[in-house]
Amino acid sequence: MALLMLPLSAQLTQADDPTVLFVDDDPELNVAIQEARRDLDTFLKYARKSKLPHAYNVRITLHSSKDDTVEYLWVFAPKRKFGIEEVYVANINEQPKLREHRVFSNMIEFHYNQITDWAVVKNGQNFGNYSGRIFTMRDPKYAKHFDVYYSKNPVPGSGDWP
C-alpha cells in the first residue's frame, strides 16, 4: 500500500493536512503521476529561475528499506545538487508519517526519478498537484473547500509562473 501526503494550503495547519491511502496500482493516481511528469521539466525550469522558491513544491517517493511501504512526501524549493544533473535537494514540507528519522523542514536528497508530482502556488491558486485533484474528487468533504483553491488548468500559462 502506498501512502500519499498532500500539501493543501499554506493557511492550514499540519493537523488539517490529511494522510490519504492509495494502493500502488490505483489507476487514477498513476494517470495523475504520468500527467505531472509530462510537465515536470517545464516546472523545474521555472522553479530554478523563480525569486519565490518556496512557492514551488515537488512530491517524491521514499521506499522503506525494512518492508515494501512507500511514502510520498512534499518537499519545497527543489534545487539541483551542484555538479550532479539528476540529483536534487529540498526541505521536507510536512511531517513524515513512516520515516521517524526525518522531520518537517529537514533537507533531503532525491533523484529526478523519485519525483511523482509538482505544485506551485500563485495568487492563492494551486497549479499542478495532480494527485491532490484526485483526492478532492474522491472526498466531498475536502472537495467543497479545495475546488476554489485549484486552478482550472493544472499548468500555468507562460506568464503565470511566479
Side-chain angles (χ1 to χ4, degrees), residues 35-36 38-40 42-43 46 118 120 126-130 133 151-161:
E35 289 175 352
R38 181 188 64 222
D39 302 312
L40 179 59
T42 300
F43 167 86
Y46 282 103
W118 57 267
V120 62
N126 187 294
F127 293 91
N129 202 344
Y130 293 88
R133 292 168 190 267
S151 61
K152 299 276 187 256
N153 183 353
V155 180
S158 62
D160 292 330
W161 293 87

Side-chain angles (χ1 to χ4, degrees), residues 136-149:
T136 58
M137 289 186 310
R138 291 182 180 177
D139 190 333
K141 177 176 77 173
Y142 291 102
K144 188 170 53 174
H145 176 74
F146 292 108
D147 278 347
V148 297
Y149 180 60

Side-chain angles (χ1 to χ4, degrees), residues 78-113:
K79 300 286 183 214
R80 272 194 12 223
K81 190 168 179 180
F82 182 74
I84 305 174
E85 179 86 18
E86 301 230 338
V87 176
Y88 290 79
V89 295
N91 294 90
I92 298 173
N93 197 17
E94 60 189 314
Q95 183 57 48
K97 305 289 190 236
L98 300 178
R99 308 295 183 270
E100 292 83 16
H101 64 286
R102 303 214 185 262
V103 295
F104 175 79
S105 83
N106 274 170
M107 182 71 70
I108 190 167
E109 183 176 298
F110 55 95
H111 193 271
Y112 178 88
N113 291 335

